[in-house]
Amino acid sequence: MKYSLAIVLSHGAKLLILDEPTSGLDPAARDDLLDIFQELVVNGEISILFSTHITSDLEKCADFITSINNGQVIASSEKYELMESFRLLSGNKNQLNHFKEKMISYKVNSFGFTGLIPSRDFDASSDFRATTPSLEDIMIYFAKKEDMYV
C-alpha cells in the first residue's frame, strides 16, 4: 500500500480515492499509513476519500463520514456531529417499550436491551442510560435495522 501511495503521490494528485486501504495490514502498518494520510491532508491541499469497514480507522483520521448501506446514504456529516446525533440506550426489558418505536434498532439479551436512537428523540432527563455511540455502534445498529424488518 505504501508503494502504491508513493506512485499516486508522484503524479501530484490532489484527490486520492482509495478502497479499503488498510485492509490486510498489521496494526502497526495500519497506524503508520493512517499517520501518512493525516500528514497529507494537514495543509488542505490534498483530500483523501476512502471506503472502509474498519471503523477504528475512521475514528482515528476521518473528518467527514458518509455511511452508505445498499446504495442508500444513511448519514453524511462531520464525524463528531454524526456520533452526537445518536444515543446508545440501555435498560431492562420492561423499559424497552418506552423507546422501541423511535429506535433505529435494538438488541435484547438476558440483561435487558441496548438500542440506537436519534438524539432528537431521546429525553436526556429520563432514567435511561445513554452514551454517545462509536461509529461501529452506528454501523451495527443500522445494519440490524434491516434484519429487524426483513
Side-chain angles (χ1 to χ4, degrees), residues 71-105:
Q72 300 287 3
V73 174
I74 294 171
S76 188
S77 66
E78 290 184 12
K79 175 178 54 181
Y80 293 110
E81 184 181 307
L82 175 65
M83 294 166 69
E84 288 296 326
S85 67
F86 296 99
R87 289 290 173 262
L88 195 60
L89 298 183
S90 57
N92 64 49
K93 290 178 186 177
N94 296 331
Q95 295 173 310
L96 176 59
N97 286 332
H98 188 71
F99 286 107
K100 191 174 185 177
E101 296 300 317
K102 295 179 181 180
M103 282 196 248
I104 305 300
S105 67

Side-chain angles (χ1 to χ4, degrees), residues 10-104:
S10 71
H11 297 291
K14 298 296 181 191
L15 173 64
L16 305 179
I17 301 174
L18 308 169
D19 184 28
E20 299 284 352
T22 60
S23 181
L25 298 177
D26 65 75
R30 263 188 34 231
D31 188 61
D32 289 344
L33 185 58
L34 294 175
D35 286 344
I36 291 169
F37 288 168
Q38 289 177 317
E39 289 172 21
L40 288 172
V41 301
V42 73
N43 64 7
E45 293 182 19
I46 295 176
S47 296
I48 301 174
L49 180 132
F50 72 88
S51 67
T52 186
H53 291 90
I54 305 172
T55 56
S56 61
D57 290 353
L58 297 174
E59 287 182 355
K60 179 174 181 180
C61 69
D63 296 323
F64 200 88
I65 303 287
T66 297
S67 180
I68 301 171
N69 192 3
N70 290 328
Q72 300 287 3
V73 174
I74 294 171
S76 188
S77 66
E78 290 184 12
K79 175 178 54 181
Y80 293 110
E81 184 181 307
L82 175 65
M83 294 166 69
E84 288 296 326
S85 67
F86 296 99
R87 289 290 173 262
L88 195 60
L89 298 183
S90 57
N92 64 49
K93 290 178 186 177
N94 296 331
Q95 295 173 310
L96 176 59
N97 286 332
H98 188 71
F99 286 107
K100 191 174 185 177
E101 296 300 317
K102 295 179 181 180
M103 282 196 248
I104 305 300

